[in-house]
Amino acid sequence: MSKLSPKTGPFDVNTKIIPQTEGIKYAGSKKKLIPQILTLAKKSGAKTVLDGFSGSTRVSQAFASSEYNVISSDKAIWSEVFGQCYLKAKKPKAYYEELIAHLNALPGRDGWFSEHYGGFAHNDHKNIQQKMPWQIHNTRKLDSIREEIDNLQISFNDKCVAITSLILAMDRVDSTIGHFSSYLREWSPRSYNNMTMKLPKIIEGTGNHSVIRGDIFDTIKNEDVDLAYFDPPYGSNNEKMPPSRVRYSSYYHVWTTICLNDKPNLFGKVNRRQDSRDNADPSVFEEYRKNPEGHFIAVEAIKRLITEASARYIMLSYSSGGRATAEELYEVMNDAGELVEVIEVDHKENVMASMVWTNDWLRDAQKPNREFIFLLKKR
Ligand SMILES: C[S@@+](CC[C@H](N)C(=O)[O-])C[C@H]1O[C@@H](n2cnc3c(N)ncnc32)[C@H](O)[C@@H]1O
């Protein structure tokens, strides 16, 4: 059985094709790998691309800027909102500027978000001991702006532009380590700043894009594309890791609430939404257990993804820290088609290398997790 191994040389990135993208802090965001993703995608000759786990939408934005027709899809509502904003907003810039200026000018006031997520910086207040993701002057702005967005008679797409701008503004003044399952003990320096909404960098161009919110297995049933890019949650191969380690709905529960503005029931120390509990709305890709046949559920899901996707080419991002071993991935790719290229990303040395599929992706406890991007031509 062959595995991954010796580097065949550096991976040549076409630096002429690096577009600007924008987004929140997001676990597993491929912001830094966009040049490599675009260079690999170009080799497929694709015109239509499915970004099947679009998350922050940075990759979707990069594809859209590069003249592909993009289908941006994820199960998370914030991803749909970002996708609508960056890929589908078509009104003149001046319209959105006026909308954002109106929202920025609103005075802050106490409301649901301040009650649950706003804290005080001075020790003369009862809330001083409680860790919170934002200082109260910013949640007060959030409260008045989010309410006004619902009061305005604007289209769904315009709302998505306003909510994206609002989420990015709140992301710039948070006091977290990048997600909302714990908050910093001391206020971060940026949390003292005043949140200010800015015009999102909406993608210009003539591409025909669509945005879907839903489970990937429903999306691939209905979409036929030249290239499908899959960046699923990696799960973890650490047996001791609890199932909640990277669960997107629990990491970013507050973004869900800002999108929905539904004042949900909350639980726990960090005031998570009830529907972000570990046993609610699970993703098979985040599953760490085996099925009754003794196979990892997350690995079976990746196999199913590659087999069922209706695409000439598939690009898969995966980490050596994930559930699937090299052998398992090799087997499924070999069954599904021909592996055109694999690149390994070494974040520490900041290098990318092309690889040949020979013998060696094993879990090496000494080595940090390595990330790979596979380009597969389907049979
Ligand atoms: C590694 S992140 C993707 C990051 C993205 N490529 C970026 O650059 O921001 C994985 C994404 O998979 C989504 N996800 C998890 N399970 C899913 C499923 N069954 N169907 C669709 N999306 C899913 C999560 O919401 C999350 O946004």
Side-chain angles (χ1 to χ4, degrees):
M1 165 67 62
S2 51
K3 303 165 207 152
L4 269 176
S5 159
K7 296 177 179 172
T8 55
F11 178 72
D12 278 332
V13 169
N14 183 349
T15 47
K16 284 190 211 123
I17 56 170
I18 308 175
Q20 283 244 314
T21 61
E22 197 174 73
I24 52 168
K25 296 185 278 298
Y26 202 66
S29 158
K30 295 298 170 290
K31 176 185 168 187
K32 290 199 178 127
L33 299 188
I34 283 171
Q36 287 70 31
I37 290 169
L38 290 180
T39 306
L40 265 192
K42 205 150 194 258
K43 297 186 179 186
S44 73
K47 299 221 171 339
T48 53
V49 183
L50 165 66
D51 180 12
F53 298 82
S54 52
S56 67
T57 71
R58 282 194 184 261
V59 177
S60 294
Q61 293 171 46
F63 279 134
S65 292
S66 311
E67 302 301 319
Y68 291 94
N69 295 320
V70 182
I71 301 167
S72 181
S73 171
D74 196 288
K75 71 200 281 258
I77 189 169
W78 58 79
S79 190
E80 179 190 28
V81 167
F82 300 153
Q84 282 285 337
C85 166
Y86 292 109
L87 270 54
K88 302 284 290 175
K90 291 282 173 266
K91 291 200 173 134
K93 223 171 148 186
Y95 171 84
Y96 301 118
E97 277 169 346
E98 199 180 314
L99 172 64
I100 287 167
H102 167 71
L103 295 171
N104 267 331
L106 297 170
R109 57 155 190 75
D110 281 322
W112 189 89
F113 286 103
S114 298
E115 185 185 334
H116 300 288
Y117 299 111
F120 292 83
H122 306 293
N123 56 7
D124 55 355
H125 200 280
K126 61 179 168 58
N127 250 346
I128 183 64
Q129 299 303 339
Q130 201 175 344
K131 288 188 275 174
M132 287 290 186
W134 289 292
Q135 293 200 24
I136 192 100
H137 61 281
N138 284 319
T139 51
R140 283 177 176 148
K141 292 285 283 186
L142 168 63
D143 270 312
S144 50
I145 292 172
R146 188 61 191 88
E147 187 175 276
E148 178 68 356
I149 293 172
D150 276 352
N151 288 339
L152 292 170
Q153 301 294 313
I154 55 176
S155 69
F156 171 66
N157 184 264
D158 293 346
K159 266 192 184 182
C160 290
V161 174
I163 294 170
T164 297
S165 172
L166 175 60
I167 288 179
L168 262 68
M170 295 306 289
D171 187 56
R172 287 191 289 269
V173 294
D174 71 343
S175 190
T176 75
I177 54 166
H179 55 74
F180 297 85
S181 45
S182 66
Y183 309 134
L184 297 174
R185 198 177 296 277
E186 305 287 337
W187 287 115
S188 68
R190 63 176 176 264
S191 69
Y192 290 87
N193 298 338
N194 291 321
M195 66 78 85
T196 309
M197 292 170 63
K198 293 182 187 162
L199 180 69
K201 294 195 177 80
I202 294 165
I203 308 296
E204 291 166 13
T206 51
N208 184 11
H209 311 306
S210 53
V211 177
I212 299 169
R213 169 157 53 111
D215 187 273
I216 187 64
F217 291 109
D218 295 329
T219 303
I220 57 176
K221 250 186 241 155
N222 302 320
E223 304 298 333
D224 189 11
V225 289
D226 299 330
L227 171 68
Y229 171 58
F230 294 135
D231 182 20
Y234 301 147
S236 164
N237 57 31
N238 182 346
E239 298 291 340
K240 297 192 182 103
M241 205 83 122
S244 61
R245 74 261 158 242
V246 183
R247 285 201 58 238
Y248 283 86
S249 61
S250 64
Y251 264 30
Y252 302 112
H253 56 96
V254 191
W255 298 148
T256 303
T257 308
I258 294 181
C259 291
L260 294 172
N261 198 21
D262 59 350
K263 302 182 175 58
N265 291 330
L266 305 173
F267 75 97
K269 274 193 191 150
V270 294
N271 281 342
R272 262 164 61 187
R273 304 171 58 87
Q274 284 287 1
D275 59 10
S276 73
R277 278 188 187 276
D278 290 354
N279 52 4
D281 189 26
S283 167
V284 277
F285 299 96
E286 294 166 350
E287 181 55 75
Y288 69 110
R289 284 170 290 206
K290 291 182 175 170
N291 62 17
E293 291 76 45
H295 303 298
F296 283 116
I297 293 170
V299 178
E300 293 296 300
I302 289 177
K303 284 188 190 171
R304 203 182 139 201
L305 200 57
I306 293 176
T307 314
E308 289 182 11
S310 175
R312 282 194 296 118
Y313 285 86
I314 290 183
M315 225 165 33
L316 174 74
S317 279
Y318 209 69
S319 157
S320 63
R323 268 291 180 221
T325 61
E327 289 87 346
E328 283 163 327
L329 279 185
Y330 177 73
E331 228 173 87
V332 61
M333 292 203 207
N334 214 23
D335 286 349
E338 176 202 342
L339 197 59
V340 180
E341 186 143 3
V342 184
I343 60 175
E344 177 183 349
V345 184
D346 184 333
H347 285 297
K348 210 163 140 224
E349 292 168 32
N350 205 17
V351 291
M352 318 281 156
S354 284
M355 322 242 343
V356 284
W357 192 288
T358 55
N359 240 324
D360 176 35
W361 169 13
L362 291 178
R363 290 174 191 150
D364 183 341
Q366 308 305 314
K367 278 195 176 178
N369 291 344
R370 288 166 290 157
E371 267 184 77
F372 296 87
I373 311 175
F374 304 90
L375 178 65
L376 173 82
K377 185 173 186 191
K378 273 193 86 171
R379 222 164 258 128

